[in-house]
Coordinates of all heavy atoms in Angstrom, one line a residue:
N1433 N -23.8 -4.1 18.9 CA -24.8 -3.7 19.9 C -24.6 -4.5 21.2 O -24.7 -3.8 22.2 CB -26.2 -4.0 19.3 CG -26.8 -2.9 18.3 OD1 -26.1 -1.9 18.1 ND2 -27.8 -3.2 17.6
A1434 N -24.3 -5.7 21.1 CA -24.1 -6.5 22.2 C -22.9 -5.9 23.0 O -22.8 -5.8 24.3 CB -23.8 -7.9 21.9
D1436 N -21.7 -2.8 22.8 CA -22.1 -1.5 23.4 C -22.9 -1.7 24.7 O -22.6 -1.0 25.7 CB -22.9 -0.7 22.4 CG -22.3 -0.3 21.2 OD1 -21.0 -0.2 21.2 OD2 -23.0 0.1 20.2
A1437 N -23.8 -2.6 24.7 CA -24.6 -2.9 25.8 C -23.7 -3.3 27.0 O -23.9 -2.9 28.2 CB -25.6 -4.0 25.6
K1440 N -21.5 -0.3 28.2 CA -22.4 0.7 28.9 C -22.5 0.2 30.4 O -22.4 1.0 31.3 CB -23.7 0.8 28.3 CG -23.8 1.8 27.0 CD -25.1 1.9 26.4 CE -25.2 2.3 25.0 NZ -26.4 2.0 24.3
D1474 N -25.9 -11.4 24.8 CA -24.9 -10.7 25.7 C -25.4 -10.7 27.1 O -26.4 -11.1 27.6 CB -24.7 -9.3 25.0 CG -26.0 -8.5 25.2 OD1 -26.5 -8.2 26.4 OD2 -26.5 -8.0 24.2
L1477 N -26.3 -4.5 29.6 CA -27.4 -3.8 30.4 C -28.8 -4.2 30.3 O -29.5 -3.9 31.1 CB -27.0 -2.2 30.5 CG -27.8 -1.4 29.5 CD1 -27.3 0.1 29.7 CD2 -27.3 -1.8 28.1
G1478 N -29.1 -4.8 29.1 CA -30.4 -5.2 28.9 C -31.3 -3.9 28.6 O -31.0 -2.8 28.7
M1479 N -32.7 -4.4 28.4 CA -33.7 -3.2 28.2 C -34.9 -3.5 29.0 O -35.3 -4.7 29.1 CB -34.1 -3.1 26.7 CG -32.9 -2.4 25.9 SD -33.4 -2.4 24.1 CE -33.0 -4.0 23.6
Y1487 N -36.2 2.2 22.1 CA -34.9 2.2 21.3 C -35.2 1.2 20.1 O -34.5 1.4 19.1 CB -33.9 1.5 22.2 CG -33.4 2.5 23.3 CD1 -33.3 2.1 24.5 CD2 -33.2 3.9 22.9 CE1 -33.0 3.0 25.5 CE2 -32.7 4.8 23.9 CZ -32.6 4.4 25.3 OH -32.2 5.3 26.2
I1488 N -36.0 0.1 20.2 CA -36.2 -0.6 19.1 C -37.4 -0.1 18.1 O -37.1 0.0 16.9 CB -36.5 -2.0 19.6 CG1 -35.3 -2.7 20.4 CG2 -36.8 -3.0 18.3 CD1 -33.9 -2.7 19.7
A1492 N -34.4 2.8 16.6 CA -33.8 1.9 15.6 C -34.6 2.1 14.3 O -34.0 2.2 13.2 CB -33.9 0.4 16.1
L1518 N -26.6 0.3 9.7 CA -28.0 0.3 9.7 C -28.5 -0.2 11.1 O -29.8 0.0 11.4 CB -28.4 -0.5 8.5 CG -30.0 -0.7 8.3 CD1 -30.7 0.6 8.2 CD2 -30.2 -1.6 7.2
G1519 N -27.7 -0.9 11.7 CA -28.0 -1.3 13.1 C -28.9 -2.4 13.2 O -28.9 -3.3 12.3
F1520 N -29.7 -2.5 14.2 CA -30.5 -3.6 14.7 C -31.4 -4.1 13.4 O -31.5 -5.4 13.3 CB -31.5 -3.3 15.8 CG -32.3 -4.3 16.0 CD1 -32.0 -5.4 16.7 CD2 -33.8 -4.2 15.6 CE1 -33.0 -6.6 17.0 CE2 -34.7 -5.1 15.9 CZ -34.2 -6.2 16.6
T1565 N -29.2 -9.5 27.0 CA -30.2 -9.6 25.8 C -29.7 -10.7 24.9 O -28.5 -11.1 24.7 CB -30.0 -8.2 24.9 OG1 -30.4 -7.0 25.8 CG2 -31.0 -8.2 23.9
Ligands
LIG3102 P1 -27.4 2.1 17.3 O1 -26.6 0.9 17.8 O2 -26.6 2.9 16.2 O3 -27.8 3.0 18.3 P2 -29.1 0.1 16.5 O4 -30.3 0.0 15.6 O5 -28.1 -0.9 16.3 O6 -28.5 1.6 16.5 O7 -29.7 -0.1 17.8 C1 -30.8 0.7 18.5 C2 -30.8 0.7 19.9 O8 -31.2 -0.5 20.5 C3 -29.4 0.9 20.6 O9 -28.9 2.2 20.7 C4 -29.7 0.3 22.0 O10 -30.3 1.3 22.9 C5 -30.7 -0.6 21.7 N1 -30.1 -2.0 21.7 C6 -29.9 -2.7 20.6 N2 -29.3 -3.9 20.9 C7 -29.2 -4.0 22.2 C8 -28.6 -4.8 23.1 N3 -28.0 -6.1 22.7 N4 -28.7 -4.7 24.4 C9 -29.2 -3.4 24.9 N5 -29.7 -2.5 24.0 C10 -29.8 -2.7 22.7

Side-chain angles (χ1 to χ4, degrees):
N1433 284 350
D1436 291 347
K1440 277 182 206 160
D1474 69 59
L1477 86 177
M1479 286 179 276
Y1487 296 130
I1488 300 299
L1518 177 54
F1520 170 73
T1565 302

